[in-house]
Amino acid sequence: LAKTTQPISMDSYEGQEVNITCSHNNIATNDYITWYQQFPSQGPRFIIQGYKTKVTNEVASLFIPADRKSSTLSLPRVSLSDTAVYYCLVGERNTGGFKTIFGAGTRLFVKA
Amino acid sequence: GAGVSQSPRYKVAKRGQDVALRCDPISGHVSLFWYQQALGQGPEFLTYFQNEAQLDKSGLPSDRFFAERPEGSVSTLKIQRTQQEDSAVYLCASSLARTSGRGNTGELFFGEGSRLTVL
């Protein structure tokens, strides 16, 4: 099973760039890497997904090295509203279906 | 609807009661997932539907948990004889993608969850 490891928590200040790294040493060839954001009392929300190299959207960038054993979510110029839990997921295939595994996530605290 | 809708948002049950939690996925979404999220933890996979077929129920913690999606749209998660350890937020997510393919998760759209408290 492809598991992920992330820091439990991180602190930052408004306006800074935040980089959250996720380890997934057992990632399989067909697996994608996906990041979700979760605010209290809400369901997780998709941020970004990638397979290799770099992916960028209006919210974040995702950096994936050639060996794909880790990935880094980069949030540019964070604000207080970016305080949330961030989950790194690795797509996993299971017999007869598909299982999406969430880890414990990284709690990001953005301070003024 | 515009998003995934779950009901009830909050449910308090006495130990031993049966509960039913409902999920209305986004119209046309093929895949539907149920997750259980304990306080301070990440969501734990429970079960997965592709249309009306329950393709993976390996995450259901016991035979007291049962999920169905009879017409391939609305899904119900039923918990029989609730126990205190069942207290958690139950999240439903839907996805347009058929995820039994290449390994691409497809974007999951989550509801706000149903918070179950068992006394």
Side-chain angles (χ1 to χ4, degrees):
Chain A
L1 297 177
K3 297 287 177 80
T4 61
T5 303
Q6 305 173 232
I8 294 174
S9 66
M10 296 180 68
D11 290 344
S12 183
Y13 289 92
E14 281 189 295
Q16 289 188 334
E17 177 184 79
V18 171
N19 296 307
I20 306 174
T21 297
C22 177
S23 298
H24 28 78
N25 291 321
N26 297 324
I27 189 168
T29 302
N30 291 336
D31 285 345
Y32 281 66
I33 300 152
T34 311
W35 285 80
Y36 284 80
Q37 175 191 55
Q38 186 176 27
F39 298 112
S41 300
Q42 294 185 22
R45 184 178 69 174
F46 175 92
I47 301 175
I48 196 166
Q49 184 180 79
Y51 184 79
K52 62 181 179 180
T53 62
K54 177 184 175 182
V55 180
T56 298
N57 61 22
E58 66 277 8
V59 177
S61 294
L62 178 60
F63 299 92
I64 306 169
D67 65 6
R68 302 199 331 120
K69 293 183 182 299
S70 67
S71 59
T72 299
L73 175 71
S74 181
L75 304 172
R77 297 180 300 281
V78 294
S79 63
L80 295 176
S81 62
D82 292 317
T83 294
V85 179
Y86 293 83
Y87 295 99
C88 165
L89 281 67
V90 173
E92 186 170 26
R93 194 167 186 173
N94 196 28
T95 301
F98 193 91
K99 185 182 293 183
T100 304
I101 306 295
F102 284 77
T106 297
R107 281 166 171 71
L108 173 65
F109 297 95
V110 180
K111 306 173 185 176
Chain B
V4 177
S5 178
Q6 293 188 244
S7 60
R9 286 293 315 278
Y10 303 93
K11 175 68 178 179
V12 178
K14 293 182 179 179
R15 190 174 60 180
Q17 281 186 330
D18 297 348
V19 299
L21 307 176
R22 176 188 169 104
C23 173
D24 279 272
I26 294 173
S27 178
H29 277 195
V30 170
S31 299
L32 185 145
F33 298 78
W34 283 98
Y35 292 85
Q36 179 190 60
Q37 186 171 27
L39 188 64
Q41 303 296 315
E44 296 276 350
F45 170 85
L46 293 178
T47 187
Y48 160 62
F49 290 86
Q50 183 172 305
N51 295 309
E52 70 280 1
Q54 189 175 19
L55 299 186
D56 189 341
K57 55 181 180 179
S58 61
L60 296 176
S62 77
D63 58 8
R64 297 186 295 104
F65 286 71
F66 172 77
E68 60 183 4
R69 193 186 185 197
E71 297 178 358
S73 56
V74 171
S75 177
T76 303
L77 176 66
K78 298 179 179 178
I79 309 173
Q80 298 176 322
R81 304 181 303 282
T82 53
Q83 304 294 316
Q84 286 187 324
E85 61 263 29
D86 300 335
S87 296
V89 175
Y90 290 86
L91 293 164
C92 175
S94 70
S95 170
L96 190 60
R98 286 177 174 82
T99 55
S100 60
R102 292 167 45 91
N104 187 340
T105 65
E107 179 176 347
L108 297 180
F109 294 83
F110 282 83
E112 293 187 308
S114 292
R115 181 179 297 277
L116 172 65
T117 302
V118 181
L119 303 177

